[in-house]
Amino acid sequence: MTVWEDLQGQAAVVEQLRQASRGEGLTHAWLFTGPPGSGRSNAAKAFAAALNCDQDDVARRGCGECPACLTILGETHSDVTYVRTEKVTITIDEARDLVSKAGNRPSSGRWRIIVVEDADRMAERTTNVLLKAIEEPTPRTIWMLCAPSPADVLVTIRSRCRAVALRLPPAADVAALLVKRDGVDPVLAERAARAAQSHVGIARRLARDPEARERRLETVRFPLGLRGVTAAVMMADKLVKIATAEANSSNEERDAAEKAALLATLGAPESGTLPPSMRSQVRQLEEDQKRRAKRSITDSLDRTLTDLLSFYRDVLIIQLGNAVELVNVELRGELEEFAARSAPETTLARMDAINKARQRITTTNVAPLLTIESMAASLI
C-alpha cells in the first residue's frame, strides 16, 4: 500500500506529484487547491512522504511502508511540520515560527517540509511574513500551502508556487475508500458518500455515526415544514442549536484535558490560587480555546447549511428534468412534491440565500442566529 492510496479520484494529481517526487519538475513551493473534502491536505502529506521516503530507488518513492513514510503520515517526522489552525486565523507569531523552522536543515530526511493546511486563514500581513522565505528558500526546504482556491492566497504567494488542483472525487470512489479503509458496509458507504457530496471526511463520519446521519436528515427535511415566518424563526433557532451543540460536545472534553495537562506541566498546586505567572499562561490557553470554539461553531454551521443546500440542489435537478443523480435519493417523493410547487428561478434564489448566509458566517463577524433567521425567512 503506497502513500497515494487515499487520494481517490485524483489520478492526474497523483501522477503529477509522483513525477515530482522523482525529481521531475520539483520546485520549492506548492499550492494545493480544491473544494472542501477534495483531499488537499492528504495530497500534501502523501507528497511529503514520497519526497522523504527511505527508498533509494526513485521509482519506489512513496512506498508507504518505510519508517519515513510511516512517521510522516503519522505526523511525527522531525523534518515535516504541519500547520493547521482551529482558530479563526493563523497569527503572525505562528508565521514567524514557521519561517524560523524553514531555515533549519533537515535532520534526517532529504527535505525540510512545511505543510500549511489553512493558508486561506492568514491575513495579508501574516502572509507577507512568509513571502521572503518562500521567495528565497533555503536549499533543502519545500513549502506546501493548502487553500480552497488560488484566489484565497495572495497573488505574490501563489505566483511563486506550483499549482496542484484537486477536484471532488466521484461518490463511487469515496464509497470504495470507506469500504477498503474503514470496513464500512458497501450500501452504507455508498449512501454516506452521496450524502456527503463526495467529502471524504464527512462521508466517514456519516458512515460511522448513526446520530450524525439522523441530524443531517433532520436538517435536510427542514424546508418541508416551512409554512410561515414563525416556522422560519424556529428552523433558524434549531439549526444554530444543532451546530453549537455538535461543536461544543467535541470541544468540552478536549478543553478540560488541555487545561489539566498545562497545570500538570506548570506544577500547579492542586487547590488554592494560582501564582500570577501561571495564571497568565492559563488565561492564554482559555483565550485560544475560545477562538477555537468560535471556529468550530462556524465550521459546524457551514456544514449544516451545506446539507440544507443539498435539498434545494435536488429540487432544482428535478425541476430541470433529472439530468443527474440526486443527493437525497431517499426523499425523492417529497422532493418531487416540493419541486412541483415552485419554479427553477425560485429554487435558485433560495440557493443563493443559503450561499450568502454561508459566506457571511465564514468571512464576517456577524451574529449567526440573526444571519440564519434572515436566510430562513427568504426560503418561505
Side-chain angles (χ1 to χ4, degrees):
M1 182 173 180
T2 70
V3 299
W4 313 109
E5 294 295 320
D6 284 354
L7 298 180
Q8 293 289 328
Q10 308 290 352
V13 168
V14 169
E15 183 58 27
Q16 177 187 7
L17 298 179
R18 198 193 297 270
Q19 289 182 1
S21 69
R22 298 169 180 171
E24 303 172 26
L26 181 62
T27 187
H28 67 280
W30 297 75
L31 178 59
F32 293 79
T33 60
S38 58
R40 301 184 301 258
S41 58
N42 286 341
K45 185 185 296 186
F47 187 32
L51 287 170
N52 273 343
C53 179
D54 289 333
Q55 298 290 344
D56 293 325
D57 182 358
V58 294
R60 297 187 61 198
R61 297 271 168 85
C63 67
E65 300 173 350
C66 67
C69 282
L70 293 175
T71 53
I72 290 172
L73 295 178
E75 302 187 10
T76 58
H77 195 283
S78 59
D79 292 327
V80 182
T81 300
Y82 295 95
V83 184
R84 58 178 68 92
T85 182
E86 292 173 318
K87 298 175 285 187
V88 178
T89 60
I90 295 174
T91 66
I92 281 185
D93 287 341
E94 289 170 322
R96 287 174 179 151
D97 184 50
L98 289 182
V99 172
S100 176
K101 288 181 179 178
N104 298 329
R105 291 183 59 82
S107 59
S108 60
R110 299 180 189 85
W111 303 97
R112 167 76 58 183
I113 300 173
I114 311 292
V115 181
V116 183
E117 294 188 6
D118 299 291
D120 56 310
R121 290 190 177 267
M122 291 189 289
E124 182 174 349
R125 61 180 189 148
T126 304
T127 308
N128 285 333
V129 172
L130 302 181
L131 181 57
K132 187 171 180 61
I134 292 177
E135 227 174 9
E136 302 173 9
T138 50
R140 309 304 299 175
T141 297
I142 292 179
W143 289 85
M144 300 183 189
L145 310 181
C146 305
S149 73
D152 292 313
V153 179
L154 283 181
V155 65
T156 49
I157 293 288
R158 67 174 184 261
S159 64
R160 290 162 174 80
C161 298
R162 184 173 176 185
V164 179
L166 291 91
R167 64 187 182 97
L168 278 175
D173 287 347
V174 175
L177 177 63
L178 294 177
V179 172
K180 180 179 180 180
R181 185 184 65 185
D182 302 306
V184 177
D185 175 77
V187 175
L188 178 57
E190 187 277 332
R191 179 182 175 188
R194 181 169 32 79
Q197 298 178 70
S198 293
H199 188 301
V200 177
I202 294 177
R204 187 168 187 254
R205 178 170 61 88
L206 291 174
R208 300 176 67 182
D209 186 353
E211 292 184 1
R213 295 197 296 272
E214 188 60 34
R215 284 193 299 269
R216 182 192 177 277
L217 183 59
E218 182 181 8
T219 298
V220 172
R221 291 177 59 88
F222 269 129
L224 297 172
L226 278 179
R227 294 292 186 270
V229 175
T230 300
V233 172
M234 291 176 64
M235 183 189 89
D237 182 64
K238 189 66 178 293
L239 287 174
V240 173
K241 283 181 177 177
I242 288 174
T244 303
E246 188 167 342
N248 288 342
S249 65
S250 62
N251 285 331
E252 287 173 358
E253 185 176 342
R254 183 177 179 181
D255 289 351
E258 286 178 346
K259 186 173 182 179
L262 175 62
L263 293 175
T265 301
L266 296 175
E270 294 184 5
S271 60
T273 305
L274 293 175
S277 59
M278 293 184 183
R279 284 203 300 269
S280 63
Q281 294 186 59
V282 172
R283 192 180 307 113
Q284 181 62 51
L285 173 64
E286 290 173 345
E287 289 174 359
D288 288 343
Q289 289 174 341
K290 286 180 182 178
R291 285 191 287 268
R292 182 173 68 198
K294 181 179 179 181
R295 169 159 179 193
S296 295
I297 293 172
T298 298
D299 290 348
S300 184
L301 268 174
D302 187 56
R303 287 195 299 270
T304 299
L305 293 181
T306 300
D307 290 336
L308 184 64
L309 191 63
S310 74
F311 175 91
Y312 292 102
R313 176 257 190 204
D314 285 351
V315 168
L316 184 63
I317 286 172
I318 292 171
Q319 291 171 332
L320 296 179
N322 291 289
V324 295
E325 187 179 12
L326 302 183
V327 170
N328 304 289
V329 174
E330 63 275 14
L331 298 179
R332 174 175 282 278
E334 293 165 297
L335 287 165
E336 288 177 344
E337 290 181 13
F338 191 95
R341 297 198 299 267
S342 63
E345 293 80 8
T346 302
T347 304
L348 285 169
R350 289 165 171 165
M351 295 175 71
D352 186 54
I354 296 173
N355 280 321
K356 284 180 178 177
R358 291 180 61 199
Q359 184 177 24
R360 288 175 186 144
I361 287 170
T362 56
T363 62
T364 64
N365 192 28
V366 297
L369 181 57
L370 292 178
T371 302
I372 303 301
E373 284 180 347
S374 175
M375 176 208 74
S378 66
L379 301 179
I380 300 172

